[in-house]
Amino acid sequence: MAITDTRPEPVTSRAWWRSLTAWGGILAMCGGVFHTVVSTLMRQDVWARIADEGFFYVIPLLPSADRLAMAEAFWFSVGSFGVPLLLLGSLVTRLTRRGEHVPGWLGGGVIAWSVLIGLLSGFDGGTLILLLIGTLLAAGAWTTRREPSHR
């Protein structure tokens, strides 16, 4: 019995850009970087205070009134969804470039997450971009499944 190679063929540098999944991954990476950088820059004075205090054990889980600004700065920037969104986008982009399938449930999960955020806090620009990312991932998985080479 011969062992066959089941690894997917890497996609050429031009072809992977045509994938909806790739665009969802790229948008997720850009959104993650943008959110993390901008939210950190918006709280520069607080981050300077955190750095002055030594950076370790500065953010308590239940902050007192004098620590509330530091906790808010943390949870709005690096403790928020920006870093995981960057990592998710990087993984999706890598898988897409290698020609591997990204499951549709991933896009469905991002859609559900963005709808929940929108219902709880309003559908602002960030929530709509998150909804677009989920839609691109789900649509990309659906179109990939329908291609004859992936059956």
Side-chain angles (χ1 to χ4, degrees):
M1 182 168 145
I3 298 175
T4 59
D5 188 6
T6 60
R7 290 178 293 180
E9 288 293 319
V11 181
T12 65
S13 61
R14 290 187 180 144
W16 81 277
W17 285 95
R18 292 186 218 128
S19 166
L20 293 174
T21 306
W23 284 104
I26 291 168
L27 187 57
M29 287 188 325
C30 292
V33 168
F34 180 80
H35 185 276
T36 305
V37 169
V38 170
S39 61
T40 301
L41 291 175
M42 289 172 62
R43 309 291 194 285
Q44 275 182 322
D45 55 331
V46 178
W47 283 104
R49 182 176 163 204
I50 291 170
D52 286 344
E53 292 190 18
F55 220 73
F56 295 101
Y57 306 110
V58 178
I59 313 288
L61 190 56
L62 298 171
S64 59
D66 65 323
R67 298 273 180 207
L68 194 57
M70 291 189 283
E72 188 266 344
F74 171 78
W75 289 112
F76 187 60
S77 57
V78 296
S80 183
F81 65 87
V83 174
L85 193 60
L86 168 64
L87 296 172
L88 172 70
S90 299
L91 177 62
V92 166
T93 304
R94 181 174 191 262
L95 291 174
T96 305
R97 289 189 70 162
R98 293 180 60 180
E100 296 182 29
H101 179 72
V102 176
W105 58 261
L106 187 63
V110 174
I111 290 170
W113 180 38
S114 62
V115 168
L116 178 64
I117 291 171
L119 292 174
L120 292 174
S121 65
F123 287 92
D124 61 358
T127 308
L128 294 176
I129 290 173
L130 196 59
L131 184 62
L132 177 60
I133 291 167
T135 303
L136 287 169
L137 295 178
W142 184 73
T143 56
T144 301
R145 256 190 33 233
R146 296 182 50 86
E147 292 174 0
S149 61
H150 284 77
R151 286 187 182 163

